[in-house]
Amino acid sequence: MDFRFSDDEEAFRREVQDFLKRELPQSQERAVIHGGETDEEWEFTKQFTRKLGEKGWIAIWWPREYGGLEGSDMEYLIFNEETAYRRAPRMDGGGTGIVGPTILAHGTEEQKKRFLPPMARGEVMWIQCFSEPDFGSDSAGIKTTAVEDGDSYVINGQKTWISFGLRGDFCYMTTRTDPEAPKHRGLSFLLVDMKTPGITVRPITNMIGADGFCEVYFDNVRVPRENMLGEKNQGWMVMMTTLSFERGTLASIAGSMRRILDDLVVFTKEARYNGQPLAKDPLVRQKLADLAIGVHMARLLVYRVVWMQGQGLIPTYQASMAKLFGDEMNFNIARVGTEIMGLYGQLAWKSKKAPFNGEIAGNYLNNLGCLFAGGTPEIQRTIMATIGLGLPRR
Ligand SMILES: Cc1cc2nc3c(=O)[nH]c(=O)nc-3n(C[C@H](O)[C@H](O)[C@H](O)COP(=O)(O)OP(=O)(O)OC[C@H]3O[C@@H](n4cnc5c(N)ncnc54)[C@H](O)[C@@H]3O)c2cc1C
């Protein structure tokens, strides 16, 4: 089996690396950590996303007519890996990474022309409104309703744990359109402008001390009928499509893990303990070697998912495996990183004295939550057990 990228793909990787080196000063390298950005930082994130959009890279594999370059899934993977490695701040994940490809799969021509080009240009921030106070893993049980009224649907209900709720221009959401139908068959999927009257967003402070999560209230929110993605009452299938793409965006995690590992290697070579570089400590070396194996494995699992998508296959348990292993590894690497760095690893994210701007401590707190987002570890293991291993459902 040949694991190498093609010459063209390697050339593309170098092009992205050169661009990032030129356009992203080291002082601006900053992973977007769950809502912890100041307004000024967010402005930079927006501008930088537009620059990436101008290159055509954030939607590289889309058809040209909707703003893409008709590149490959592998190029998209390379782009995601490299931008994450360089901690390039981006706000396009929910759009070009998740709902955009879902619109490509289920949207009408009018929806594709209306929603996709601004996404591909990096102009809009899309947020995901699925979870409700009593329905997270059981995402088909949601109660928020959308009732048909003339040319519109009128939405009422509450969503919660919505990432970047305060920054969203548009949201994609699940609603109940047939309360009498079995729960998976009465859902519909809507695309909603966050400026629509009747929407209220309230921040919830997370453990980084940032307004990462939000509650979003819908009070008689009127959405044009043409904003329904897919058929009425077929929203479950559309939502499943978003999740398969969400799990396919894991290349970013692989890139950011590789960066933390490289940073830790640099740190241990420079930091001294008892007059010796920390890198000479046998325990530290063992830990770093273990991390390197995990990072490599996480990367290969992601490559398989993206390769399958490129072949027109739909990864199911393979995506769950990649997500679960990647998320656990991502948390693990930050945890071990804080240990290796001693008290410097305990310094707050963005603290001036913290090595690497406190990114490792920031990741430690941030990555714990990532284990839950997009499906908890138990749900991923259940998918592995049933679809992957063929075990009976309980
Ligand atoms: C960082 C972060 C960002 C998020 N961003 C968003 C967002 O942008 N939009 C959005 O809609 N949601 C978002 N969420 C919410 C996320 O999707 C839910 O937290 C997740 O689906 C779990 O739902 P829950 O919190 O209601 O937990 P529950 O579903 O109530 O689960 C509680 C516990 O029970 C376990 N459990 C539940 N059902 C089963 C089962 N069948 N078998 C075994 N164990 C089970 C779970 O694994 C978990 O440990 C985010 C969450 C996090 C942490």
Side-chain angles (χ1 to χ4, degrees):
M1 203 177 282
D2 188 353
F3 284 101
R4 275 173 309 177
F5 288 92
S6 69
D7 289 347
D8 284 352
E9 287 162 352
E10 289 297 358
F12 176 65
R13 190 184 288 278
R14 282 192 299 277
E15 190 187 343
V16 175
Q17 286 170 339
D18 289 346
F19 176 85
L20 293 174
K21 215 173 278 169
R22 221 173 36 244
E23 300 288 336
L24 183 67
Q26 218 173 355
S27 60
Q28 294 287 3
E29 282 189 12
R30 177 174 39 77
V32 175
I33 287 187
H34 211 219
E37 300 72 33
T38 60
D39 288 345
E40 199 188 344
E41 287 170 334
W42 188 252
E43 200 43 49
F44 182 82
T45 298
K46 279 165 63 172
Q47 284 169 19
F48 198 73
T49 307
R50 279 184 193 209
K51 269 193 187 173
L52 296 171
E54 278 164 23
K55 297 292 289 178
W57 287 340
I58 61 176
I60 191 164
W61 61 273
W62 293 6
R64 283 183 194 274
E65 55 189 310
Y66 308 125
L69 292 181
E70 291 175 11
S72 68
D73 298 72
M74 275 300 157
E75 285 172 320
Y76 189 51
L77 173 143
I78 289 168
F79 169 67
N80 281 331
E81 262 198 319
E82 291 304 322
T83 46
Y85 187 86
R86 279 298 306 269
R87 300 197 175 117
R90 287 171 57 185
M91 62 156 203
D92 57 295
T96 53
I98 302 177
V99 75
T102 310
I103 294 175
L104 273 175
H106 297 280
T108 61
E109 196 49 35
E110 186 274 328
Q111 286 171 333
K112 290 179 193 173
K113 290 210 165 101
R114 182 154 54 113
F115 292 114
L116 296 181
M119 258 184 229
R121 290 193 296 268
E123 290 171 359
V124 279
M125 169 79 179
W126 281 79
I127 57 171
Q128 180 183 88
C129 287
F130 291 165
S131 305
E132 296 188 3
D134 293 324
F135 301 95
S137 302
D138 180 15
S139 44
I142 56 132
K143 291 209 170 117
T144 295
T145 54
V147 176
E148 218 168 339
D149 182 31
D151 286 343
S152 315
Y153 284 95
V154 178
I155 310 173
N156 279 289
Q158 182 197 345
K159 300 285 177 177
T160 192
W161 311 126
I162 309 308
S163 298
F164 300 100
L166 289 169
R167 308 283 190 192
D169 300 306
F170 287 88
C171 81
Y172 52 98
M173 66 183 295
T174 43
T175 58
R176 184 154 303 285
T177 35
D178 185 352
E180 307 303 326
K183 63 180 182 178
H184 292 86
R185 303 222 186 107
L187 300 178
S188 297
F189 199 98
L190 286 167
L191 307 170
V192 181
D193 186 334
M194 290 298 288
K195 289 189 291 300
T196 317
I199 298 181
T200 309
V201 182
R202 292 203 189 124
I204 309 173
T205 307
N206 64 17
M207 67 181 171
I208 299 181
D211 295 336
F213 296 116
C214 290
E215 295 171 304
V216 182
Y217 294 86
F218 295 83
D219 183 12
N220 286 319
V221 174
R222 195 167 275 276
V223 175
R225 188 200 278 263
E226 59 266 21
N227 282 26
M228 182 168 284
L229 186 59
E231 302 277 305
K232 186 178 177 186
N233 297 326
Q234 300 293 316
W236 176 252
M237 208 171 64
V238 183
M239 184 190 157
M240 286 294 112
T241 311
T242 65
L243 289 182
S244 84
F245 284 112
E246 182 163 2
R247 288 167 198 166
T249 59
L250 295 165
S252 306
I253 297 185
S256 90
M257 273 192 276
R258 205 156 44 83
R259 175 59 183 273
I260 297 181
L261 179 63
D262 288 354
D263 283 352
L264 283 174
V265 167
V266 170
F267 179 83
T268 56
K269 284 181 182 167
E270 287 173 357
R272 300 185 89 74
Y273 181 68
N274 280 344
Q276 293 277 336
L278 203 52
K280 289 204 167 181
D281 183 301
L283 279 179
V284 169
R285 295 157 72 95
Q286 295 286 317
K287 283 183 183 186
L288 289 177
D290 274 345
L291 292 181
I293 295 167
V295 168
H296 188 67
M297 282 165 60
R299 212 173 170 191
L300 293 183
L301 288 171
V302 172
Y303 287 1
R304 177 159 73 145
V305 171
V306 176
W307 176 83
M308 286 180 73
Q309 284 171 335
Q311 302 296 308
L313 303 167
I314 299 177
T316 53
Y317 69 91
Q318 299 90 342
S320 290
M321 226 194 299
K323 173 179 161 47
L324 181 60
F325 188 81
D327 281 347
E328 289 188 341
M329 192 60 219
N330 204 22
F331 178 63
N332 201 25
I333 194 168
R335 183 182 59 75
V336 175
T338 56
E339 281 170 22
I340 289 178
M341 292 168 78
L343 284 183
Y344 285 99
Q346 318 284 310
L347 297 181
W349 178 47
K350 295 186 185 176
S351 157
K352 285 203 172 68
K353 292 214 169 191
F356 314 116
N357 204 21
E359 287 283 351
I360 294 179
N363 272 284
Y364 175 78
L365 295 175
N366 193 55
N367 296 350
L368 188 58
C370 294
L371 278 165
F372 273 69
T376 68
E378 288 76 15
I379 297 301
Q380 307 305 339
R381 287 195 169 89
T382 301
I383 294 172
M384 258 311 294
T386 49
I387 306 180
L389 299 175
L391 300 181
R393 288 179 190 278
R394 288 180 54 232

